[in-house]
Amino acid sequence: MSPRRPDPGARPALVDIAARLLAEEGPQALSARRIASEIGTSTMALYTHFNGMRGLVRAMVHEGFTRLQHYFTLVEFSDDPVNDLALLGRAYRCNALANPHLYAVMFGGSSLAGFSLGEEDRQYGRYTLAGVAECAARCIEAGRFRAEDAELVAHQMWSAVHGLVVLELGDYLTEPCNADRLLEAQLVGLMVAAGDTLEAAVASVAASAERLWEEVDPATTDSGR
């Protein structure tokens, strides 16, 4: 008798279940036995598909960045690239708020099953920044930003919004400097620092807020999927 072939549908199902347990019950719910029981299989499935819990956590890291990329792809480039760039920043925040536990795993803020991020995992995450760098290049080509390194601008955006999100998820941002107010000021400041005029930056950032509810925010109710 030939050996039984692994069920190809089990791998994404295990990742989804682990992500759901993490979101609903926290890290303490992530055990091989609990995850296997949720899908109605044995713990051997985790070793078949992921070589154990560490491999499953790595798959969750990649799933987190896949969801982030999904949010980024919801942003349709317009004739106002600064507006688009601001909307990408808002999309980043929406993904983090929709997937807070996955977000912590993505950046090593939550240690699970002894897993630690490797360079391959970090590079996988960096690839999601490509669209942001492309948008920054469009801002430069349009004459809104100084002729500088578009990738540097993208990283500045990433680090700034990431810092805000971490503080927001930790409930550190309260009145009068709540997360919404801080994000608006941060986005305008980033655009001006990159070379845009204050008046133009304020207008583009404000317009991106209006687009958020039409293009991006509805996905938040579906856990970024």
Side-chain angles (χ1 to χ4, degrees):
M1 179 181 292
S2 60
R4 185 178 179 181
R5 294 183 178 179
D7 177 7
R11 182 182 174 89
L14 287 166
V15 173
D16 286 343
I17 287 170
R20 176 175 60 79
L21 289 174
L22 186 61
E24 293 177 355
E25 303 180 31
Q28 68 276 5
L30 286 187
S31 70
R33 180 174 298 179
R34 174 68 187 282
I35 295 169
S37 68
E38 290 282 331
I39 198 176
T41 187
S42 69
T43 57
M44 184 57 65
L46 272 76
Y47 293 90
T48 300
H49 293 283
F50 305 104
N51 198 29
M53 281 295 296
R54 291 186 182 183
L56 175 59
V57 175
R58 170 169 281 109
M60 291 170 65
V61 170
H62 289 211
E63 173 65 13
F65 281 107
T66 297
R67 294 188 184 190
L68 173 59
Q69 183 62 34
H70 170 75
Y71 271 87
F72 281 162
T73 58
L74 294 174
V75 176
E76 297 183 4
F77 285 175
S78 70
D79 58 0
D80 182 350
V82 176
N83 180 325
D84 301 338
L85 188 61
L87 188 56
L88 286 169
R90 297 182 191 279
Y92 185 96
R93 180 192 179 202
C94 279
N95 173 71
L97 296 182
N99 304 286
H101 294 286
L102 274 180
Y103 190 81
V105 176
M106 288 160 62
F107 296 99
S110 181
S111 179
L112 303 171
F115 171 80
S116 60
L117 292 172
E119 181 56 27
E120 181 180 349
D121 305 311
R122 294 187 178 93
Q123 190 60 30
Y124 186 91
R126 292 185 188 109
Y127 285 140
T128 62
L129 206 63
V132 182
E134 179 186 351
C135 189
R138 291 176 56 240
C139 294
I140 294 171
E141 292 169 2
R144 297 284 297 273
F145 289 178
R146 290 184 296 273
E148 294 183 352
D149 187 346
E151 190 171 345
L152 177 60
V153 173
H155 276 78
Q156 289 173 318
M157 167 75 79
W158 186 14
S159 60
V161 179
H162 174 74
L164 181 147
V165 166
V166 170
L167 292 174
E168 183 176 11
L169 292 177
D171 291 326
Y172 283 100
L173 302 179
T174 59
E175 300 293 347
C177 295
N178 61 36
D180 289 335
R181 181 186 180 194
L182 185 59
L183 179 65
E184 301 309 305
Q186 189 176 65
L187 290 174
V188 171
L190 284 165
M191 307 312 173
V192 172
D196 206 9
T197 66
L198 177 59
E199 181 179 8
V202 168
S204 292
V205 169
S208 74
E210 296 178 4
R211 292 174 60 194
L212 175 69
W213 309 111
E214 298 178 0
E215 296 181 32
V216 178
D217 192 70
T220 303
T221 61
D222 192 28
S223 297
R225 301 294 289 171

